[in-house]
Amino acid sequence: MLFALLAMPVFGQQNIEQQKIAYLIDSVATLQDATFIRNGTAYDAAHAADHMRLKLRFSGSRIKTAEDFIVYCGTGSSMSGIKYTIRFQDGHSVDSATFLHRRLAEYEARFNNSKP
């Protein structure tokens, strides 16, 4: 019984982190008119999100937080070391890590503002 009481905050935190990761992937998947550049090849938003999901699955227990997800799954190629970038319709580009960090900050600000 004591273990269950002590473990509850950990499980709750894991659930929150999983929600953040899902939000980040959904933020990528739903981008309109954006091109994702991975190892020099352009992909649409759906393919980019699928790739991040695949990397998340293969990362196993190494990914515990949304920050871990950004570092290990959303920043760049683990094979080549090349950063992922997002090119928007207006022509500007941003590193995917920068985009994901911004989205995470927005999510956390909304979550913190909704607390009583």
Side-chain angles (χ1 to χ4, degrees), residues 25-112:
I25 292 172
D26 190 54
S27 293
V28 169
T30 58
L31 271 177
Q32 299 293 316
D33 301 319
T35 303
F36 295 79
I37 312 299
R38 180 169 48 91
N39 290 325
T41 303
Y43 297 91
D44 65 15
H47 283 97
D50 286 343
H51 182 71
M52 289 180 181
R53 286 185 196 100
L54 180 68
K55 286 183 77 170
L56 178 60
R57 260 194 313 271
F58 286 127
S59 295
S61 63
R62 185 165 81 175
I63 308 298
K64 295 188 182 350
T65 66
E67 195 62 43
D68 292 342
F69 170 78
I70 293 171
V71 170
Y72 295 112
C73 300
T75 300
S77 172
S78 55
M79 302 291 271
S80 69
I82 298 172
K83 290 182 180 181
Y84 299 152
T85 57
I86 302 171
R87 185 174 52 234
F88 296 92
Q89 186 176 16
D90 67 2
H92 87 278
S93 295
V94 64
D95 288 341
S96 64
T98 301
F99 173 82
L100 292 170
H101 278 114
R102 286 180 188 158
R103 292 296 169 121
L104 181 57
E106 291 168 7
Y107 180 92
E108 290 174 338
R110 257 189 309 193
F111 181 76
N112 290 335

